[in-house]
Amino acid sequence: MKKIAMLFAFVATTLLAAGCEGPSGPQGPPGPNIFPHVQEVKLSFDQNLESKFQDQSVKHPVELYKGDVVLVYVMDSQDSNGNPVWSPLPRRFFVDVLEGSNKVRKELEYSYVFSPSNVLIEALADAPLKHFNGSGKEGDLGYLKNMYFRLVYIPGQDPQRQSNNVSKSVEAGNTTLSYEEAVRKYNLEGVKVVKNY
């Protein structure tokens, strides 16, 4: 009889404790930024037009681990529907420059490197940057002002992350994946693009 009374007391206490529920507490702080992550930035490289080189640093919005990869794309045109066309870096742009009475083709290349703390986007030309600055007429800003870059953060081979591994060629920076190919390959279709401008 004593065992049945103890069992009844235990069951009653369990039901009573499970039935007591107080009000919800306050919203907790936001969690850490996680992978995959896509952000867009707008940068200008016209601070010193007599120079042939400029760079801009973009701080990572997420913490990078060993094996994680950053892919960078530049918006270099729009399609007939007004949608941006993204080209992978490195990307070259060409302009014809008058030297005396001759037209000479000059080139500007955007490339990038990344470290655990930031992405460094570089503009390197074979002539002073003023030749790539555009006329300023009818929206012609050239290839230096208000350039849009899309940075795609992809989780790598770090054991702390549960994800698909990035191929060795991407880790080495040897990729020619279009933006659309990267979206398909790394399942980024549902990832919201964060616009930081």
Side-chain angles (χ1 to χ4, degrees), residues 17-55:
C20 296
E21 194 173 307
S24 298
Q27 176 77 25
N33 288 326
I34 57 172
F35 283 95
H37 184 82
V38 180
Q39 79 166 335
E40 206 171 288
V41 295
K42 180 167 69 170
L43 303 173
S44 291
F45 295 81
D46 60 344
Q47 291 79 17
N48 180 1
L49 295 176
E50 295 303 319
S51 170
K52 294 181 179 181
F53 174 81
Q54 284 192 32
D55 58 16

Side-chain angles (χ1 to χ4, degrees), residues 19-92:
C20 296
E21 194 173 307
S24 298
Q27 176 77 25
N33 288 326
I34 57 172
F35 283 95
H37 184 82
V38 180
Q39 79 166 335
E40 206 171 288
V41 295
K42 180 167 69 170
L43 303 173
S44 291
F45 295 81
D46 60 344
Q47 291 79 17
N48 180 1
L49 295 176
E50 295 303 319
S51 170
K52 294 181 179 181
F53 174 81
Q54 284 192 32
D55 58 16
Q56 297 273 348
S57 177
V58 179
K59 186 171 171 35
H60 295 313
V62 292
E63 186 174 357
L64 254 61
Y65 293 90
K66 182 179 178 182
D68 293 343
V69 172
V70 182
L71 302 176
V72 180
Y73 297 85
V74 63
M75 185 178 83
D76 61 4
S77 64
Q78 293 181 334
D79 66 15
S80 59
N81 296 323
N83 298 314
V85 175
W86 298 100
S87 295
L89 296 190
R91 172 72 167 101
R92 290 184 181 165

Side-chain angles (χ1 to χ4, degrees), residues 1-196:
M1 183 75 171
K2 195 174 186 182
K3 288 183 181 181
I4 293 176
M6 286 180 62
L7 179 62
F8 178 72
F10 175 74
V11 170
T13 306
T14 304
L15 290 175
L16 184 63
C20 296
E21 194 173 307
S24 298
Q27 176 77 25
N33 288 326
I34 57 172
F35 283 95
H37 184 82
V38 180
Q39 79 166 335
E40 206 171 288
V41 295
K42 180 167 69 170
L43 303 173
S44 291
F45 295 81
D46 60 344
Q47 291 79 17
N48 180 1
L49 295 176
E50 295 303 319
S51 170
K52 294 181 179 181
F53 174 81
Q54 284 192 32
D55 58 16
Q56 297 273 348
S57 177
V58 179
K59 186 171 171 35
H60 295 313
V62 292
E63 186 174 357
L64 254 61
Y65 293 90
K66 182 179 178 182
D68 293 343
V69 172
V70 182
L71 302 176
V72 180
Y73 297 85
V74 63
M75 185 178 83
D76 61 4
S77 64
Q78 293 181 334
D79 66 15
S80 59
N81 296 323
N83 298 314
V85 175
W86 298 100
S87 295
L89 296 190
R91 172 72 167 101
R92 290 184 181 165
F93 297 97
F94 299 93
V95 297
D96 291 328
V97 175
L98 275 177
E99 287 186 355
S101 60
N102 297 328
K103 278 190 177 182
V104 179
R105 181 154 282 195
K106 298 294 182 181
E107 70 181 66
L108 166 72
E109 181 178 81
Y110 280 106
S111 61
Y112 75 101
V113 294
F114 67 91
S115 70
S117 60
N118 65 1
V119 175
L120 194 64
I121 299 175
E122 303 168 332
L124 177 63
D126 62 356
L129 292 174
K130 65 184 177 185
H131 296 296
F132 302 91
N133 200 29
S135 66
K137 298 176 184 175
E138 298 177 18
D140 177 19
L141 298 176
Y143 301 103
L144 300 176
K145 294 179 186 173
N146 300 323
M147 298 295 289
Y148 292 91
F149 295 91
R150 192 165 274 188
L151 287 70
V152 179
Y153 293 84
I154 300 170
Q157 298 178 354
D158 191 287
Q160 297 180 33
R161 301 282 187 204
Q162 298 295 323
S163 65
N164 294 335
N165 288 336
V166 177
S167 71
K168 292 291 184 190
S169 64
V170 173
E171 287 182 27
N174 299 325
T175 182
T176 56
L177 288 175
S178 72
Y179 179 72
E180 292 76 17
E181 290 169 332
V183 166
R184 283 191 303 273
K185 181 172 184 172
Y186 298 112
N187 301 320
L188 304 175
E189 288 87 355
V191 176
K192 180 183 175 189
V193 176
V194 177
K195 297 185 178 183
N196 293 330

